[in-house]
Amino acid sequence: MAVLYIIATPIGNLSDITHRAVETLSLTDLIACEDTRTSSVLLQHYGINKPLFSFHQHNEHHKVEHILNILNGGQSVAIISDAGMPGISDPGFLAIRAAHQNGHTVTVIPGPDAITTAIVASGLPSDRFTFEGFLPPKKGRQTRIKAIADSEITTVVYESPHKLVRFLEMLDDFCDEARWVCVARELTKKFEEINRGLLNDILADYRQRPSVKGEIVVVVAGKNYSE
Ligand code: SAM
């Protein structure tokens, strides 16, 4: 039976892949990935040699049709992204929805993602949280940051390194009282950094650095949280 597999892959450390993910990638007929060069490194590391095709945010609409054709022809497809769980701030959703709508089986092989790794590492309340993904670059950005400042529960944001200081500054402008935050950078990689503390102190720290590099998740505690 043709299946659409959604397979989580490492967010940095190549060892962070499940046995089932490797097994499924070895058995599937084709693999759809964002950047074939990035995925080739992972697949070669695990001795997986399957036909790859590109499936990224710029061709996603068009490639969904291609994926449906493959499934209709009786072959299975695995979707992987450059890092973590496909469909989380990465392509996947459109293909998953189309597969369901066309009566195909969708099987998710769980594994790493930056959201849960960051919120757990932060030591900030994780019983309830909002995931904001990437904030819009311009229109609506301020409104979303104000909503984060007003939130009573933890918020998780994906942010690029060059916008980090500006994000923390805007958040600080909207926060009336001291706020706990955690900047989780380069998770699972050699230079992993979990930088938690009060917003003022964290902001001062990044302001005095000549530059900020790497992949970043910001975890912002709810407005009434203190420790
Ligand atoms: N699908 C991925 C997931 O499951 O988390 C997210 C993909 S999204 C395009 C990439 C963003 O995720 C980065 O800009 C960063 O905010 C976050 N991210 C991915 N890997 C990370 C890492 N190793 N450390 C910190 N943040 C990471």
Side-chain angles (χ1 to χ4, degrees), residues 158-174:
Y158 285 171
E159 190 52 283
S160 70
H162 69 275
K163 290 198 206 135
L164 176 68
V165 168
R166 191 67 201 112
F167 168 74
L168 295 174
E169 283 172 348
M170 282 178 81
L171 183 64
D172 194 36
D173 286 346
F174 286 120

Side-chain angles (χ1 to χ4, degrees), residues 11-12 34 81 83-90 112-115 134 157-161 184-189 214-217:
I11 57 169
E34 280 188 278
S81 68
M85 183 60 91
I88 301 295
S89 299
D90 265 342
D113 68 71
I115 310 168
F134 288 105
V157 179
Y158 285 171
E159 190 52 283
S160 70
R185 200 170 62 82
E186 294 289 85
L187 288 164
T188 78
K189 303 185 199 177
E215 296 194 279
I216 290 172
V217 181

